[in-house]
Amino acid sequence: MEVKVIGAGLAGCEAAWQLAKRGISVKLYEMKPKKMSPAHHSEDFAELVCSNSLRGDRLENAVGLLKEELRRCGSLIMQCAEATRVEAGGCLAVDRKGFSQLVTERIRTSPLITVVSEEVTEVPEGPVIIATGPLTSDALSKAIGTYFGADYLHFFDAAAPLVTAESVDMDLAWWQSRYDRGTPDYVNCAMDRQQYEAFVRELISAEEAEVHGFEDKRVFEGCMPVEVMARRGLDTLRFGPMKPVGLTDPKTGAEPYAVLQLRQDNAAKSVYNLVGFQTHLKFGEQKRVFSMIPALRNAEFVRYGVMHQNTFLQSPKLLDPFYADRRNPLVAFAGQMTGVEGYVESTASGFLAAVAMAAKVQGKEPTAFPKTTAIGALVLYVSDGSIENFQPMNINFSIISPLEYRVRKKAEKNLAISQRALEQIDALLAQGI
C-alpha cells in the first residue's frame, strides 16, 4: 500500500517520515522548485518562512511540552532542529538554511519515500495526507473548497526583517536573555521614552505595501504586524515585542523604557532577526522607520519583512480527531491549513495524521491521543464540532485537561501537567503506536 503526501513543509515531511518509519511506501509531492509561492526563497523542504524560532523549550511552557512529546515519538523535525540548533536562551531556534537542508537530505535518502516535483491541482483519492500549508496554490485551494463544498477561512501572516550582525551598533545594545535565563543570546536594542514615542508615530504613519484583501481585523493575533499593534495604542508595543521587563541596561543599571530584541538566525551568527517585528510596510519604509531604533541606525537589512495570506479549513466541521475527513478517513489534512498555528504544532499534526493513516492502511484501529497530552489536546481542539468561531490556535495549557488536584503556583502546575502528559506518551509508546 502506498500513501500520497502532498506538500513537503514541516507537516508533510514529518508525515512522510512517520509513514516510512512504519514500513509504508510514500509518494511525496512538492511543487517547488517548479513553482514557488511569494513567501518561499529556497528549493529545500521544510522551509521556515517566518521566524527561525520553534519557541520555548521548557516543560513549564506548553510548546516545550509538545516538543518533548514529539522527541519521545521520534519526530524527524525535532531531530533536525536539535542538530541545527543555535543559541536562543530558553528557546529552540535553528540555523534556518541548515535545518531545511538536513530535513531535505533525510527525506530524499529514505528508501521508502519517492519525491515527485510537481504541483497537485486536485484532491487525490486516498490514502492521502494533504499538507500544503497556509500557502496552498490557488488551483489546489479551489479543489479543496470544491471537495468539501465549504468556504475556507483565511488570515494574514507576516515575516520579520533580518539584519547583519556586524551592522548593529553594539555601543548602543547589549547581550542578555530576559530574566538572565539561560545564556545571554539576545541582542537588546533599547529606546528611551522620547525615542520610543517618535518611533511609534512614524510606524503608524509609514506607507504599507499592498496586500490583497488586507484588513487589520483579519490578522491572526500571533503573527500581527508591528504597525497593526502600534495602531492599538501608544504603549501596545511596550507590552508586546518591545517589552523591557526582565532586562537591565548595563549603562544605567535600570530597566529601559522599551527594547527590541534581536535573535540569531543562522549558525554563523552573521544574521539576526527582529523578534516580533513582522511587518508589511514597504521595504523603503522598513529601512527608514526601523533605523530610528538607535542600535539599528546603520543596520544592513538582508531581508525585509513580507506579508501573505494564509488559508485554513473550518476544521471543527470537517475533520475528525485524526485530522481526517469525517466522511472519508483515508483523506487527511495536516499542518497550518487545519488551523493549528506554529511550526511545532504543524509538525505534531503531521505526526498524528501519519500515525493514524499508517494504522488504517495496515488494517488497525488508530490510536487516540488523550486530551491530557499536548498532541491530543491540539487535535481535539481542531476537531471540536462545538466551536462556532474557529480561529488558528497555538498549543497552550488551557486546552489540555486540567489536573485533578490544586497546585497554587502556575509554573509548578504547568510542570505537573507536563509530567502527567509525558507519562501518557510513554505508555502509548510502550503499546507500539
Side-chain angles (χ1 to χ4, degrees), residues 60-308:
E60 295 92 330
N61 184 300
V63 76
L65 168 60
L66 185 58
K67 286 197 203 62
E68 182 57 26
E69 291 183 5
L70 288 168
R71 288 188 188 102
R72 296 192 183 196
C73 291
S75 163
L76 168 70
I77 296 302
M78 293 310 305
Q79 291 169 13
C80 294
E82 292 293 343
T84 57
R85 187 172 191 147
V86 298
E87 292 93 337
C91 294
L92 172 58
V94 302
D95 179 300
R96 190 188 302 269
K97 184 176 180 181
F99 168 77
S100 295
Q101 287 178 337
L102 183 56
V103 174
T104 304
E105 178 187 347
R106 297 286 296 276
I107 289 292
R108 287 194 178 277
T109 56
S110 171
L112 287 176
I113 301 175
T114 302
V115 177
V116 181
S117 298
E118 65 180 48
E119 180 186 5
V120 174
T121 59
E122 298 291 340
V123 176
E125 289 188 8
V128 62
I129 298 174
I130 299 174
T132 44
L135 300 173
T136 298
S137 69
D138 290 343
L140 183 56
S141 183
K142 183 177 179 181
I144 295 172
T146 301
Y147 171 80
F148 279 118
D151 292 332
Y152 279 108
L153 303 176
H154 69 274
F155 64 104
F156 290 87
D157 198 3
L162 303 177
V163 297
T164 61
E166 64 181 6
S167 69
V168 178
D169 190 340
M170 291 306 298
D171 289 335
L172 300 171
W174 73 96
W175 295 91
Q176 186 185 3
S177 290
R178 204 178 299 278
Y179 300 108
D180 293 318
R181 287 176 176 167
T183 53
D185 298 325
Y186 290 83
V187 177
N188 297 279
C189 307
M191 304 180 83
D192 62 27
R193 180 169 185 166
Q194 184 177 2
Q195 292 165 339
Y196 171 80
E197 291 182 352
F199 170 76
V200 171
R201 285 195 298 270
E202 290 301 313
L203 183 60
I204 290 171
S205 62
E207 191 174 358
E208 300 173 359
E210 286 190 23
V211 183
H212 180 67
F214 174 75
E215 299 175 59
D216 285 3
K217 65 183 180 181
R218 300 290 291 175
V219 180
F220 172 54
E221 295 285 335
C223 286
M224 182 171 293
V226 65
E227 60 272 14
V228 175
M229 280 188 272
R231 284 196 284 269
R232 294 188 168 187
L234 181 60
D235 287 326
T236 302
L237 295 181
R238 293 184 60 243
F239 289 93
M242 301 191 76
K243 179 174 63 177
V245 177
L247 299 170
T248 304
D249 188 333
K251 292 183 177 64
T252 65
E255 181 180 284
Y257 190 75
V259 173
L260 166 67
Q261 290 195 306
L262 309 180
R263 181 180 56 236
Q264 181 182 340
D265 200 76
N266 65 350
K269 301 184 180 181
S270 60
V271 177
Y272 280 74
N273 68 63
L274 282 60
V275 176
F277 264 45
Q278 301 92 344
T279 181
H280 73 295
L281 295 180
K282 286 189 171 181
F283 290 174
E285 290 288 78
Q286 292 182 41
K287 171 70 174 173
R288 179 182 70 83
V289 177
F290 297 155
S291 295
M292 292 178 68
I293 298 171
L296 299 185
R297 60 188 179 182
N298 298 313
E300 177 188 2
F301 289 80
V302 294
R303 187 193 74 188
Y304 288 105
V306 294
M307 192 166 191
H308 47 270

